[in-house]
Amino acid sequence: MTIRWPLPHHDYWSTPFAESLLRHLDLFPGATVLDVAGGHGIPAFYVAEQIGPGGQVLSIDVSAGQTARARSIQGGQLPWLRFECADLRALPADLPLYDRITGNLSVMFFRPDRFHAIQGLAAHLKPGGQMVLTFPSLGTFESLWRRIDQEMAVRGLLAERRRLEAYIAERPSAGEGREWLNRAGFHRIEVAEYPLEVVTGPGREFLQHPLLRGGFLDDVFECFDDQALADRVMTQVSEDLAGVLPLVAQRCVLAGWKPVAVTG
């Protein structure tokens, strides 16, 4: 098959995670797929291309803006792919069962109870179906958090250090992901981590880096009540890349199969 909807090369965050997801996803022509936290369509477009017009893909995201952007990209193509604005934690009970459930960079949106969210998704998976999810796991950008903590310690910022510690601790590990799938009754579970090194220069290039500022660094700024102080701390960190690099994200993949019900 000629792929007309490849994973976009210009997306340096979603695409590498989607590549990890696709390593574990078992697709087939005519499959039905539920894609959660689908954003603007990575990897929903690629998945739809793979399963062909005999299948169906429903990609949901809680953001109306992201959903609208995905529909704009789609235009009138791939009519068996739909983008809908919906909360993955509150799916309607009459939603059909799917052969596959995917969620690229999704697990961070499963708060406050990630296991409950996975359990809820499993209810919409056919017996014998597969779920594959990706997320940046515990250990992602560990060198950065360590350097920021050092800067906070030098300045005696106790409250800010406690908030940073709580933020880091909230990030789930690969081991926790395996436990969720086990508790949800999955079998043939695969949990894998693939390192992704982020390249950046010092100063403004670091502080405005598209893979950092849009989420990770914004969360650090939220540890401060005084944003002017946050600017000074982060400027100091940005000028000391020797204390930060290498900057490595952990692409974690959770994959498992829902058992087929035994009758008899």
Side-chain angles (χ1 to χ4, degrees):
M1 177 187 295
T2 301
I3 302 300
R4 297 177 55 244
W5 294 88
L7 298 176
H9 296 298
H10 63 272
D11 193 309
Y12 302 112
W13 188 245
S14 298
T15 287
F17 276 85
E19 289 170 344
S20 299
L21 183 152
L22 292 168
R23 290 189 194 186
H24 296 260
L25 181 62
D26 183 11
L27 286 175
F28 60 90
T32 58
V33 181
L34 173 63
D35 181 51
V36 301
H40 56 276
I42 301 174
F45 287 113
Y46 179 92
V47 169
E49 181 93 49
Q50 292 295 298
I51 66 170
Q56 292 287 329
V57 179
L58 172 60
S59 182
I60 63 170
D61 197 281
V62 74
S63 166
Q66 290 278 53
T67 302
R69 181 182 175 193
R71 288 173 178 166
S72 176
I73 294 170
Q74 180 183 17
Q77 303 186 68
L78 303 173
W80 58 96
L81 167 62
R82 291 189 298 121
F83 291 97
E84 300 291 343
C85 187
D87 189 336
L88 62 88
R89 295 162 299 183
L91 295 174
D94 60 353
L95 198 68
L97 299 182
Y98 292 86
D99 296 307
R100 302 289 184 265
I101 294 180
T102 58
N104 192 39
L105 288 166
S106 58
V107 174
M108 65 275 283
F109 302 115
F110 289 11
R111 291 182 296 230
D113 186 339
R114 293 188 172 101
F115 166 69
H116 182 74
I118 286 177
Q119 193 176 43
L121 289 175
H124 298 283
L125 185 64
K126 291 180 182 178
Q130 184 192 31
M131 181 186 294
V132 186
L133 311 170
T134 68
F135 65 102
S137 54
L138 186 67
T140 291
F141 301 151
E142 182 177 354
S143 60
L144 173 59
W145 314 136
R146 185 167 56 246
R147 179 63 186 88
I148 294 171
D149 181 69
Q150 290 172 352
E151 191 64 28
M152 289 176 171
V154 167
R155 297 169 181 260
L157 304 177
L158 300 181
E160 289 81 357
R161 289 186 75 192
R162 285 195 295 270
R163 292 170 187 160
L164 178 64
E165 182 182 11
Y167 163 72
I168 296 170
E170 197 273 340
R171 186 167 300 282
S173 67
E176 287 177 292
R178 181 180 293 277
E179 180 185 354
W180 297 330
L181 293 185
N182 270 316
R183 288 174 59 198
F186 285 86
H187 69 154
R188 296 166 56 193
I189 294 171
E190 297 178 302
V191 178
E193 290 182 300
Y194 302 98
L196 174 67
E197 184 170 352
V198 174
V199 179
T200 181
R204 180 171 294 277
E205 181 180 343
F206 172 84
L207 292 174
Q208 300 300 326
H209 195 288
L211 302 188
L212 299 174
R213 189 58 201 250
F216 296 96
L217 292 188
D218 286 355
D219 291 330
V220 174
F221 276 78
E222 290 180 6
C223 295
F224 292 82
D225 293 323
D226 183 343
Q227 290 303 295
L229 175 59
D231 286 335
R232 292 195 295 274
V233 169
M234 293 308 298
T235 296
Q236 183 64 36
V237 170
S238 75
E239 294 171 353
D240 178 30
L241 283 190
V244 173
L245 300 179
L247 198 56
V248 178
Q250 292 293 344
R251 293 173 289 169
C252 186
V253 183
L254 305 181
W257 295 81
K258 187 173 181 176
V260 177
V262 177
T263 62

